[in-house]
Amino acid sequence: MSKINMRVGPSEAYRIEWVYERPSLPLKVLRIKEGWRLVQDADGDKGWVVARFLTRDRTAIVIGEGDAPMRAEPSRLSPLLWNVEPGVVGKLGDCETGWCRLDVTGRVGWMPQDRLWGPGEP
């Protein structure tokens, strides 16, 4: 799906609040209602999307100020692999002791969990 409409209510009769065009953006499901999901995005915006347009794939978006370090292992002492800009989205792997494994288009490493929005219960 290339576009997902976020509506102000759980029906196509409600107006569209946002149109998401960027694939794989993480959304947190807050509520379920008959084929619709109340979701929240990284900016805190909430609205309703059709459930069939969502996937169970876990993603995260880099947040905060300045570049975030992606390291070889879940430790500040581990070698730096890349610096990742805020707004970059990646596939979320396991999280442990404040670090999460992130795959950004095949570049895989560990990032501090506080620099990601998306970890936690889906």
Side-chain angles (χ1 to χ4, degrees):
M1 190 94 227
S2 60
K3 293 182 183 180
I4 295 177
N5 295 329
M6 178 190 277
R7 297 180 179 272
V8 297
S11 158
E12 290 187 5
Y14 287 94
R15 72 177 168 79
I16 297 170
E17 183 77 9
W18 289 101
V19 177
Y20 293 101
E21 296 183 2
R22 192 170 168 199
S24 301
L25 282 175
L27 295 171
K28 289 187 181 181
V29 175
L30 305 173
R31 217 167 106 201
I32 297 171
K33 183 175 183 180
E34 302 170 0
W36 290 84
R37 302 295 183 262
L38 176 62
V39 298
Q40 180 179 6
D41 67 19
D43 294 326
D45 294 311
K46 296 176 185 174
W48 293 88
V49 298
V50 176
R52 71 178 178 272
F53 295 144
L54 301 176
T55 71
R56 292 194 173 271
D57 297 335
R58 301 282 311 273
T59 61
I61 188 168
V62 178
I63 58 171
E65 296 295 320
D67 292 345
M70 182 179 279
R71 301 199 175 268
E73 299 295 329
S75 166
R76 294 195 188 285
L77 302 176
S78 179
L80 178 67
L81 299 175
W82 300 280
N83 284 309
V84 184
E85 294 180 349
V88 169
V89 173
K91 294 178 186 175
L92 185 63
D94 293 334
C95 294
E96 57 182 61
T97 63
W99 291 83
C100 293
R101 188 170 169 84
L102 194 67
D103 179 339
V104 179
T105 61
R107 293 184 172 150
V108 182
W110 291 85
M111 186 163 292
Q113 188 168 348
D114 64 356
R115 291 302 308 269
L116 296 171
W117 189 91
E121 292 300 313

